[in-house]
Amino acid sequence: MGFREIIVIMLIFAISISSNTCEGLSEDKLVRIKSHLLKSQIGDKEISVVATCASSDNTIGPVTLHPYSNNMEFKFKTNAFGETVFRCTFNINNVEHKFVIFNNQRGIYGENCWILADGGPCLCDCKNENCYEKSQDAKCFKYDS
């Protein structure tokens, strides 16, 4: 066996080890979105939200969210480089709002719960039993657009 063949075998071995290692680095994540929007400017009607979220690989929705009722939930593995991004579009009273619901900075929990509130989405840890009560631990954001 010559020098070239040895180098090729070493490269193939290194690539196979790194791909297995990278796959092991990806994490299971959960995103859950729930609406707490109750009243519209028009009257005492419930505000339903139509939500669609997408990454470069997946699209989830559209899902209609009703206040304090159902939720939208999806699980995924982050990519090996930690660059997974999910962008959501929320149609609220025929007004479209966009928001990055998951990225490195916003995916800080294993189970990320988002509450759609009047001022924008609020993030909390789903494992926190007070999460949906808009606990003091929630981090609130404004919509991106």
Side-chain angles (χ1 to χ4, degrees):
M1 193 178 315
F3 181 72
R4 277 189 190 176
E5 288 84 7
I6 292 173
I7 295 295
V8 169
I9 291 170
M10 289 174 59
L11 281 172
I12 292 170
F13 180 71
I15 290 170
S16 70
I17 287 176
S18 69
S19 67
N20 288 339
T21 304
C22 287
E23 188 174 304
L25 292 177
S26 65
E27 296 180 62
D28 288 327
K29 293 288 185 173
L30 172 124
V31 171
R32 183 177 298 136
I33 304 167
K34 190 167 190 135
S35 174
H36 281 199
L37 299 170
L38 284 178
K39 301 192 188 286
S40 69
Q41 291 86 9
I42 304 168
D44 285 345
K45 294 182 179 179
E46 287 186 352
I47 298 175
S48 293
V49 178
V50 179
T52 304
C53 299
S55 70
S56 59
D57 299 324
N58 299 301
T59 299
I60 295 95
V63 174
T64 301
L65 301 173
H66 302 283
Y68 294 92
S69 180
N70 63 326
N71 61 52
M72 175 183 198
E73 181 175 301
F74 52 96
K75 294 179 182 181
F76 58 95
K77 282 191 176 288
T78 58
N79 66 26
F81 305 105
E83 298 170 353
T84 302
V85 175
F86 270 93
R87 292 173 177 80
C88 295
T89 302
F90 302 107
N91 190 314
I92 304 169
N93 278 347
N94 296 318
V95 177
E96 194 172 272
H97 298 280
K98 295 185 183 284
F99 188 74
V100 174
I101 206 89
F102 185 90
N103 61 15
N104 285 344
Q105 293 78 34
R106 293 182 182 165
I108 58 177
Y109 306 113
E111 297 182 8
N112 300 277
C113 282
W114 287 92
I115 303 161
L116 300 181
D118 289 332
C122 296
L123 171 65
C124 59
D125 186 352
C126 296
K127 293 179 183 175
N128 177 346
E129 60 189 48
N130 296 320
C131 176
Y132 284 122
E133 302 305 317
K134 203 169 180 186
S135 70
Q136 295 175 345
D137 297 334
K139 295 167 185 63
C140 295
F141 302 85
K142 296 206 178 287
Y143 292 105
D144 298 333
S145 64

